Amino acid sequence: MVTIAIVALACFAIPAVALFVLVPSIRHQNEAATEADETRKARATKAGWRVIEDASALPEPVRHNTRGGVRVLMLAHRRTEDVDIWAVSQETLAFGGARRQSLSAHLLPVHHIEDTPTMCVTLRRGGSAPAAQKPDLFDRRYEIVSDDGDRAHALVTEEIRLMTRRLNLDGWDLEDGMLTVWFDGMLQPASLHRRLLGLARLAKAVSGRPAA
């Protein structure tokens, strides 16, 4: 009976001790995460961004990046040069359980063309551009991908090629007039400060139209 009592006590005590150790650790992690969130929001606000708490009113391409296993750390908005810019700070689980952090910027000119090809400009992989194209610096680094190839290639003018290179982007997506740019390893919208003007001008060059 004594042996059974000791075993029963051990079975109860071990989980209790583990819980006693884990609860403060979890609480500390949650407090640290909350503090980091508040710091990000304060920096963004100071840099001229409006922090958004409810994603339901956002344009669909922006809301799309807040679903599907994505942990959204912050949503923010500002307007620069008549271009609305939404920033999404997010964290996803990569292969092997590693956490991948990134920032996406979604840019929509106030006066824009909606009937744009759905396309992306992405880093060229698996070799250089075909020799028959006589590739320039843009073609050596990027390729244009779209189901509407003729319209997509026609849209990427020399001005847009130059702006993309000067901003040193890894690429960009376009859908319904909205330009989306990704920045891996970046979380703070305030970090876009030096690129904001260039990104806004790129968005206007891609899908902007003169005001009526």
Side-chain angles (χ1 to χ4, degrees):
M1 290 293 293
V2 173
T3 302
I4 295 174
I6 292 173
V7 171
L9 181 61
C11 290
F12 172 77
I14 292 174
V17 171
L19 186 62
F20 179 78
V21 172
L22 285 175
V23 167
S25 176
I26 294 172
R27 184 184 300 117
H28 176 73
Q29 291 176 8
N30 290 339
E31 289 174 352
T34 299
E35 184 177 348
D37 287 344
E38 293 303 320
T39 299
R40 272 190 295 268
K41 291 177 181 179
R43 284 189 59 196
T45 301
K46 186 176 180 180
W49 293 84
R50 179 176 61 87
V51 176
I52 300 172
E53 301 295 344
D54 182 9
S56 62
L58 296 174
E60 172 55 27
V62 185
R63 278 188 286 123
H64 179 75
N65 282 335
T66 67
R67 300 192 293 261
V70 174
R71 180 181 174 232
V72 176
L73 302 175
M74 182 169 58
L75 299 168
H77 170 267
R78 68 177 294 160
R79 182 172 289 183
T80 299
E81 293 244 321
D82 281 337
V83 175
D84 283 308
I85 307 173
W86 293 269
V88 182
S89 302
Q90 57 194 314
E91 184 176 75
T92 55
L93 285 178
F95 181 76
R99 296 184 182 276
R100 176 175 174 265
Q101 297 178 333
S102 62
L103 178 75
S104 59
H106 308 263
L107 302 99
L108 186 67
V110 173
H111 307 287
H112 63 275
I113 301 169
E114 293 186 0
D115 183 23
T116 56
T118 299
M119 58 176 289
C120 64
V121 170
T122 184
L123 292 176
R124 186 173 294 280
R125 304 184 188 279
S128 58
Q133 293 182 358
K134 295 183 179 180
D136 59 11
L137 292 175
F138 178 91
D139 290 321
R140 290 172 190 165
R141 184 176 183 187
Y142 302 102
E143 58 182 327
I144 300 169
V145 180
S146 176
D147 290 336
D148 192 353
D150 290 342
R151 289 181 66 207
H153 280 81
L155 184 145
V156 184
T157 62
E158 290 300 322
E159 177 189 19
I160 292 172
R161 288 167 172 253
L162 183 60
M163 294 172 79
T164 301
R165 284 179 44 229
R166 284 182 173 173
L167 285 166
N168 195 30
L169 302 176
D170 288 342
W172 46 264
D173 300 344
L174 179 67
E175 182 177 0
D176 297 330
M178 180 174 286
L179 187 78
T180 300
V181 186
W182 293 86
F183 300 92
D184 283 337
M186 185 185 295
L187 276 180
Q188 176 54 252
S191 300
L192 292 173
H193 176 70
R194 293 184 179 181
R195 300 194 192 202
L196 273 182
L197 193 58
L199 288 171
R201 289 175 177 174
L202 174 63
K204 291 170 79 171
V206 170
S207 65
R209 63 175 175 81

